Amino acid sequence: TRKSRPQRLLKAVEGKATLGDPQSVITAIDHFCRHKEWAMNVGDEKGSILDSLVIELSPVNVLELGTYCGYSTVRIARLLPPGARFITLEFNPDYAAVARQVIGWAGLEDKVQLVEGASGDWIPRLREHFGVQMFDLVFLDHWKDQYLPDTKQLEECGLIQKGTVLLADNVICPGTPDYLKYVRNSPHYDSRYYRSHLEYTKVEDGLEKSVFLGF
Ligand SMILES: Nc1ncnc2c1ncn2[C@@H]1O[C@H](/C=C/CNC(=O)c2cc([N+](=O)[O-])cc(O)c2O)[C@@H](O)[C@H]1O
Ligand SMILES: [Mg+2]
């Protein structure tokens, strides 16, 4: 059967990237998506904003919702301080399989725990299963209607505490209106929009950074 797009993306990484070199994996995926087939990675433009926020935050505990092919996983993991803990959730087994190989090509498998499962099932179990008390950074990039319910569940489970930074992709395109309204109107979040473009296009999109101020 014909390979899926994630499998074709992985082939592009294997053909172009250098094993153990995260930047070459990022470059290979961006080249593939810009010149061969568009794919819903955060991309190089928004990725640079993501990089600067990760560097500035130097987070110890990181959660990513929606691994997909592992592009943003590699971007984040390559910048984490030693000893940091990074959990990424992906419920599609085919995407998870591709992401594991992409992360492996970058040589970052020891920095990342890819959990195959749905955020709704796993968020309540992260504390007891992984011994994580709270997250310094949460990157939201999964189904857009899941951003708000998952954020509320993270709050209820105490995994979002004073200082936690939520970073949400696609708040303009495809858009996450209910999430955006929540973080921008809540007195418990200090929210800021980083204007950019939808990956590999000229369409407007951006990242919303929301700092939890405590209850
Ligand atoms: N509850 C859950 N738990 C675990 N994994 C889950 C999940 N819900 C979705 N996922 C996974 O997260 C990814 C979905 C991304 C949706 N992005 C998008 O739909 C998207 C679309 C465009 N676009 O259309 O231009 C641009 C973008 O940057 C985008 O991120 C997929 O890999 C999916 O399997
Ligand atoms: Mg996205």
Side-chain angles (χ1 to χ4, degrees):
T1 55
R2 188 163 149 66
K3 289 192 178 315
S4 69
R5 176 168 309 179
Q7 284 169 326
R8 293 195 294 273
L9 179 149
L10 174 61
K11 281 274 162 284
V13 168
E14 291 169 343
K16 284 212 179 348
T18 306
L19 193 60
D21 173 0
Q23 189 53 56
S24 74
V25 169
I26 293 164
T27 304
I29 293 173
D30 285 332
H31 187 274
F32 175 80
C33 293
R34 200 173 280 284
H35 302 294
K36 296 281 188 315
E37 293 185 61
W38 185 91
M40 58 184 178
N41 314 118
V42 73
D44 45 359
E45 197 180 314
K46 288 184 289 179
S48 301
I49 300 168
L50 171 63
D51 288 358
S52 54
L53 292 171
V54 172
I55 290 166
E56 176 194 350
L57 197 56
S58 193
V60 174
N61 290 302
V62 183
L63 175 67
E64 175 179 61
L65 302 178
T67 316
Y68 188 44
C69 295
Y71 174 88
S72 50
T73 320
V74 166
R75 285 203 82 109
I76 294 168
R78 84 194 203 285
L79 299 173
L80 293 179
R85 185 212 327 254
F86 184 8
I87 297 167
T88 182
L89 301 182
E90 173 53 58
F91 68 10
N92 179 310
D94 300 327
Y95 295 167
V98 165
R100 282 192 206 287
Q101 294 176 80
V102 167
I103 294 160
W105 259 84
L108 294 168
E109 60 280 354
D110 298 340
K111 289 239 169 193
V112 181
Q113 279 187 286
L114 197 165
V115 176
E116 218 171 295
S119 52
D121 300 338
W122 272 94
I123 286 170
R125 295 163 59 190
L126 292 174
R127 186 190 290 275
E128 42 96 16
H129 199 275
F130 292 102
V132 64
Q133 292 310 311
M134 57 82 77
F135 287 105
D136 305 294
L137 172 66
V138 182
F139 181 56
L140 300 96
D141 195 19
H142 55 335
W143 295 149
K144 306 316 160 192
D145 60 1
Q146 287 300 308
Y147 285 25
L148 185 53
D150 285 356
T151 296
K152 290 187 170 172
Q153 199 178 23
L154 284 164
E155 288 173 358
E156 283 148 22
C157 295
L159 291 166
I160 290 176
Q161 291 179 20
K162 190 172 163 57
T164 297
V165 173
L166 305 183
L167 193 57
D169 189 27
N170 311 117
V171 293
I172 301 302
C173 177
T176 62
D178 58 344
Y179 172 83
L180 216 44
K181 200 151 72 60
Y182 178 73
V183 290
R184 288 180 175 174
N185 298 344
S186 164
H188 303 296
Y189 285 98
D190 178 26
S191 217
R192 177 187 158 174
Y193 174 59
Y194 291 77
R195 182 168 182 208
S196 183
H197 295 94
L198 179 69
E199 51 267 24
Y200 318 116
T201 78
K202 294 187 171 20
V203 174
E204 183 183 343
D205 187 25
L207 302 173
E208 186 82 1
K209 175 189 168 190
S210 308
V211 184
F212 190 65
L213 304 170
F215 283 108

